[in-house]
Coordinates of all heavy atoms in Angstrom, one line a residue:
K53 N 91.6 18.4 -99.0 CA 93.0 18.1 -99.3 C 93.6 17.2 -98.2 O 94.4 16.4 -98.5 CB 93.7 19.4 -99.6 CG 95.2 19.2 -100.0 CD 95.9 20.5 -100.5 CE 97.2 20.3 -100.9 NZ 97.9 21.5 -101.3
S54 N 93.3 17.6 -97.0 CA 94.0 16.8 -95.9 C 93.7 15.3 -95.9 O 94.4 14.6 -95.5 CB 93.5 17.4 -94.5 OG 92.2 17.2 -94.3
Y55 N 92.4 14.9 -96.5 CA 92.1 13.6 -96.6 C 93.1 12.6 -97.4 O 93.5 11.6 -97.0 CB 90.8 13.4 -97.3 CG 90.3 12.0 -97.4 CD1 89.8 11.3 -96.3 CD2 90.3 11.4 -98.7 CE1 89.3 10.0 -96.5 CE2 90.0 10.0 -98.8 CZ 89.5 9.3 -97.7 OH 89.0 8.1 -97.8
F56 N 93.8 13.4 -98.4 CA 94.7 12.8 -99.3 C 96.2 12.9 -98.8 O 97.1 12.4 -99.4 CB 94.6 13.3 -100.6 CG 93.3 13.0 -101.3 CD1 92.3 14.0 -101.2 CD2 93.0 11.7 -101.8 CE1 91.0 13.7 -101.9 CE2 91.8 11.5 -102.3 CZ 90.8 12.5 -102.5
N57 N 96.4 13.7 -97.7 CA 97.8 14.1 -97.4 C 98.1 13.9 -95.8 O 98.9 14.6 -95.2 CB 98.1 15.6 -97.7 CG 98.0 15.8 -99.2 OD1 98.6 15.1 -100.0 ND2 97.2 16.8 -99.6
G58 N 97.5 12.9 -95.3 CA 97.8 12.6 -93.9 C 97.2 13.4 -92.8 O 97.6 13.3 -91.6
G59 N 96.3 14.2 -93.2 CA 95.6 15.1 -92.2 C 94.4 14.5 -91.5 O 93.8 15.2 -90.7
Q60 N 94.0 13.3 -91.8 CA 92.9 12.7 -91.1 C 93.2 11.2 -90.9 O 93.9 10.5 -91.7 CB 91.6 12.7 -92.1 CG 91.2 14.2 -92.5 CD 89.9 14.1 -93.2 OE1 89.1 13.2 -93.0 NE2 89.8 15.2 -93.9
N61 N 92.7 10.7 -89.7 CA 93.0 9.4 -89.2 C 92.6 8.3 -90.1 O 93.3 7.3 -90.4 CB 92.4 9.2 -88.0 CG 93.0 10.0 -86.8 OD1 94.1 10.4 -86.9 ND2 92.2 10.1 -85.7
D62 N 91.5 8.5 -91.0 CA 91.0 7.5 -91.8 C 91.2 7.8 -93.3 O 90.7 7.3 -94.2 CB 89.5 7.3 -91.5 CG 88.7 8.5 -91.8 OD1 89.3 9.6 -91.8 OD2 87.4 8.4 -91.7
G63 N 92.1 8.8 -93.5 CA 92.4 9.2 -95.0 C 93.7 8.4 -95.4 O 94.1 7.5 -94.8
Y64 N 94.3 9.0 -96.4 CA 95.6 8.6 -96.9 C 96.7 9.3 -96.3 O 96.6 10.5 -96.1 CB 95.6 8.7 -98.4 CG 94.6 7.8 -99.2 CD1 93.4 8.3 -99.4 CD2 94.9 6.6 -99.6 CE1 92.5 7.6 -100.2 CE2 94.0 5.8 -100.2 CZ 92.7 6.3 -100.5 OH 91.9 5.5 -101.1
S65 N 97.8 8.6 -96.1 CA 99.0 9.3 -95.5 C 99.6 10.1 -96.6 O 100.0 11.3 -96.3 CB 100.0 8.3 -95.0 OG 100.5 7.4 -96.0
N66 N 99.6 9.7 -97.8 CA 100.2 10.4 -99.0 C 99.7 9.7 -100.3 O 100.3 8.9 -100.8 CB 101.7 10.5 -99.0 CG 102.2 11.6 -100.1 OD1 101.6 11.8 -101.1 ND2 103.3 12.2 -99.7
Y67 N 98.5 10.2 -100.7 CA 97.8 9.6 -101.9 C 98.8 9.6 -103.1 O 98.8 8.7 -104.0 CB 96.4 10.1 -102.1 CG 95.6 9.4 -103.1 CD1 94.9 8.3 -102.7 CD2 95.5 9.8 -104.5 CE1 94.2 7.6 -103.6 CE2 94.8 9.0 -105.3 CZ 94.0 7.9 -104.9 OH 93.2 7.2 -105.8
L68 N 99.3 10.8 -103.3 CA 100.1 11.1 -104.6 C 101.3 10.1 -104.6 O 101.6 9.5 -105.7 CB 100.6 12.6 -104.6 CG 101.1 13.0 -105.9 CD1 100.1 12.8 -107.1 CD2 101.5 14.5 -105.7
D69 N 101.9 9.9 -103.6 CA 103.1 8.9 -103.5 C 102.7 7.5 -103.6 O 103.5 6.7 -103.7 CB 103.9 9.2 -102.1 CG 104.8 10.4 -102.3 OD1 104.9 11.0 -103.3 OD2 105.4 10.8 -101.2
S70 N 101.4 7.2 -103.4 CA 100.8 5.9 -103.6 C 100.5 5.5 -105.0 O 99.9 4.5 -105.4 CB 99.6 5.7 -102.7 OG 100.0 5.9 -101.4
E71 N 100.7 6.5 -106.0 CA 100.2 6.3 -107.3 C 100.7 5.0 -107.9 O 99.9 4.2 -108.5 CB 100.7 7.4 -108.2 CG 100.2 7.3 -109.7 CD 100.7 8.6 -110.5 OE1 101.4 9.4 -110.0 OE2 100.2 8.6 -111.7
E72 N 102.0 4.6 -107.8 CA 102.5 3.4 -108.4 C 101.8 2.2 -107.9 O 101.4 1.3 -108.7 CB 104.0 3.3 -108.2 CG 104.7 2.2 -108.9 CD 106.2 2.1 -108.7 OE1 106.7 3.2 -108.4 OE2 106.7 1.0 -108.8
I73 N 101.6 2.0 -106.6 CA 101.0 0.9 -106.1 C 99.5 0.8 -106.4 O 98.9 -0.2 -106.7 CB 101.3 0.6 -104.6 CG1 100.9 -0.7 -104.1 CG2 100.5 1.7 -103.8 CD1 101.8 -1.8 -104.5
L74 N 98.9 2.0 -106.5 CA 97.4 2.0 -106.7 C 97.2 1.7 -108.2 O 96.2 0.9 -108.5 CB 97.0 3.5 -106.4 CG 96.6 3.8 -105.0 CD1 96.5 5.4 -104.8 CD2 95.5 3.0 -104.4
K75 N 98.1 2.1 -109.1 CA 98.0 1.7 -110.5 C 98.1 0.2 -110.8 O 97.5 -0.3 -111.6 CB 98.8 2.5 -111.4 CG 98.3 4.0 -111.5 CD 98.9 4.8 -112.6 CE 98.2 6.1 -112.9 NZ 99.0 6.9 -113.9
I76 N 98.9 -0.4 -109.9 CA 99.0 -1.9 -110.1 C 97.7 -2.5 -109.7 O 97.1 -3.3 -110.4 CB 100.1 -2.4 -109.0 CG1 101.5 -2.1 -109.6 CG2 100.0 -4.0 -109.0 CD1 102.6 -2.3 -108.6

Side-chain angles (χ1 to χ4, degrees):
K53 185 176 181 178
S54 71
Y55 179 79
F56 296 99
N57 297 308
Q60 297 187 29
N61 291 337
D62 58 351
Y64 294 92
S65 62
N66 190 327
Y67 193 81
L68 193 56
D69 283 351
S70 302
E71 180 176 6
E72 185 178 335
I73 193 74
L74 288 168
K75 283 192 172 178
I76 291 169

